[in-house]
Amino acid sequence: MAISMDELWKQFCENLTNADSSEAFEQLRIRYLGKKGEITGLLKNMGALAADQRREYGQKVNELKERTEKAITEKAMQAHVKEVERKIAMTPKFDLTQPLKLEEGSYHPITLVQRDCEKIFASMGFTIEDYDEIVDDYHCFEALNIPKHHPARDMQDTYYLTNGQLLKTHTSAAQNAIMRKYGAPLRAIFPGRCFRNESTDACHENTFFQMEGIMIDENISISNLIYFMKTMLSEVFQRDIKVRLRPGFFPFVEPGFELDISCLICGGKGCPSCKNSGWLELCPCGMIHPNVLKAGGIDTEKYTGFAFGLGLTRLAMMKYGIKDIRDLNSGNLKSLSQFVQ
Ligand code: PHE
């Protein structure tokens, strides 16, 4: 005597309750719904039925098939969700707020010097700005009073992209955008990575860091520039630093200077490190050229300002006595991990 549909369903439900893995669900599917499955097999009984009962019987078998299919799928889904939840619960928790363990890493010397400078300038009312590394010709050159074919461009060859943009050669490339963003009065510093198409040696790299600063207000003069630079450098080196200005040419400042600091090794007496001059060249700077202020939308009748381009890479080398600039980009943990702070 063939098993009834009700009995088959009951038996299936019991088996389903005991199934707990994807293989078990698949086996049940084959056992009941496969080509030779038990429910599929019920259709074979059709032949024994009277013609008017076949239709109803067929419908019932199909309904049982659907119910069985649905029950297996639902249970399999639930089991899958449970499995995922179990895996999540087993994953070790990652706490973003945990402080960095110093034995696992250290800050790059340039990051350390940059943070020092940022802290000092922030305490003097400067905001810290970020800017792109990929810029256009206008921002890197033209807005800075360096028209196309100006010889000053020769000093700053860089890497050009196929769309005409370029990798910025100096942080001055951000001056125009920052003036336009905030207007005057303005005090801002903007550290950044710069690029130049240069061959490398112990003192030159194609990738280096600068920190630009600008201050624009009424009655800003060179004495303000000297004061801010002296204060900042004395803080960074933790000692009184003497500074001096020499004339220097940059199309975006007028007058332009090279700022030197008293030699850190001999204190200004003269030694091999400073070629016996007592001074080290550190930071080009000057009073912002009126054309640059105008391009930035600043009223030149009312405002003047100074700008400086501090070589952060250079500063890090001086502060930590690093002799070869290439060590800084080498990723050599042996030399870089000495600078834990
Ligand atoms: N941008 C110049 C350079 O990288 C430096 C500079 C900045 C000079 C600001 C004057 C004023 O060569």
Side-chain angles (χ1 to χ4, degrees):
M1 181 45 200
I3 185 168
S4 79
M5 278 191 228
D6 286 348
E7 273 170 82
L8 200 53
W9 173 248
K10 228 175 107 193
Q11 183 204 79
F12 161 76
C13 287
E14 262 167 41
N15 287 332
L16 185 63
T17 317
N18 295 331
D20 59 358
S21 66
S22 52
E23 294 90 61
F25 299 130
E26 197 44 38
Q27 268 165 20
L28 278 183
R29 198 187 297 280
I30 294 167
R31 174 167 167 194
Y32 287 97
L33 301 170
K35 260 193 190 150
K36 294 181 185 158
E38 295 191 28
I39 296 180
T40 325
L42 288 173
L43 293 171
K44 286 189 196 125
N45 302 335
M46 291 248 273
L49 295 173
D52 58 343
Q53 290 177 340
R54 283 186 193 159
R55 192 184 148 94
E56 197 192 328
Y57 182 81
Q59 271 175 358
K60 274 195 180 158
V61 174
N62 278 336
E63 188 270 330
L64 178 62
K65 256 179 142 178
E66 273 167 31
R67 201 167 0 127
T68 308
E69 175 74 51
K70 202 171 148 209
I72 296 176
T73 310
E74 263 172 25
K75 179 101 196 263
M77 274 297 284
Q78 283 167 10
H80 177 69
V81 169
K82 257 199 204 141
E83 177 62 14
V84 171
E85 280 171 354
R86 193 183 61 85
K87 276 192 185 150
I88 292 174
M90 275 171 56
T91 313
K93 293 274 173 299
F94 184 68
D95 184 356
L96 275 175
T97 62
Q98 276 287 318
L100 188 75
K101 286 200 195 112
L102 280 180
E103 64 267 28
E104 287 173 6
S106 60
Y107 288 113
H108 193 280
I110 293 179
T111 306
L112 294 175
V113 176
Q114 180 181 325
R115 290 191 177 178
D116 274 354
C117 297
E118 285 177 358
K119 239 187 260 160
I120 298 159
F121 274 104
S123 75
M124 297 192 287
F126 284 70
T127 61
I128 301 157
E129 302 293 327
D130 198 13
Y131 196 62
D132 306 338
E133 289 177 353
I134 296 173
V135 299
D136 55 22
D137 188 274
Y138 177 78
H139 285 89
C140 201
F141 300 120
E142 290 200 35
L144 291 166
N145 206 27
I146 313 177
K148 291 214 162 52
H149 312 300
H150 192 288
R153 289 197 179 208
D154 291 351
M155 317 265 294
Q156 302 202 3
D157 188 20
T158 183
Y159 303 94
Y160 288 84
L161 310 186
T162 45
N163 66 2
Q165 287 188 300
L166 48 104
L167 299 187
K168 77 172 170 213
T169 56
H170 51 179
T171 40
S172 308
Q175 280 194 17
N176 183 269
I178 289 168
M179 286 179 203
R180 292 223 158 256
K181 186 170 172 195
Y182 296 105
L186 171 62
R187 291 179 189 201
I189 53 166
F190 24 109
R193 182 158 54 170
C194 303
F195 307 85
R196 289 195 196 172
N197 184 8
E198 295 207 40
S199 35
T200 50
D201 60 32
C203 310
H204 297 89
E205 252 290 21
N206 50 30
T207 307
F208 54 95
F209 289 80
Q210 290 187 338
M211 196 182 77
E212 190 93 354
I214 50 177
M215 179 169 180
I216 301 171
D217 209 331
E218 291 175 40
N219 303 318
I220 295 291
S221 71
I222 298 165
S223 6
N224 297 106
L225 168 64
I226 297 175
Y227 168 78
F228 278 102
M229 294 316 290
K230 200 169 140 58
T231 309
M232 196 274 297
L233 294 167
S234 300
E235 284 282 331
V236 168
F237 291 106
Q238 294 288 304
R239 62 180 109 154
D240 191 37
I241 298 279
K242 281 199 212 92
V243 298
R244 77 169 185 191
L245 295 180
R246 282 180 295 117
F249 174 71
F250 305 92
F252 36 97
V253 282
E254 180 57 40
F257 307 103
E258 291 285 356
L259 183 139
D260 297 339
I261 60 171
S262 49
C263 176
L264 296 166
I265 314 261
C266 64
K269 287 192 203 80
C271 69
S273 291
C274 58
K275 296 187 195 114
N276 283 319
S277 70
W279 297 97
L280 295 169
E281 188 179 317
L282 184 69
C283 174
C285 54
M287 299 303 293
I288 304 174
H289 195 290
N291 288 352
V292 176
L293 290 173
K294 275 184 211 145
I298 308 279
D299 178 358
T300 50
E301 294 294 317
K302 195 166 170 197
Y303 295 107
T304 49
F306 66 73
F308 61 85
L310 188 64
L312 274 185
T313 301
R314 187 111 204 255
L315 198 58
M317 289 173 73
M318 280 184 183
K319 177 158 181 181
Y320 294 111
I322 299 166
K323 295 210 171 60
D324 193 324
I325 192 172
R326 291 167 292 196
D327 281 342
L328 291 167
N329 288 354
S330 68
N332 179 351
L333 294 180
K334 225 175 177 182
S335 57
L336 293 176
S337 58
Q338 302 166 43
F339 306 100
V340 176
Q341 203 176 50

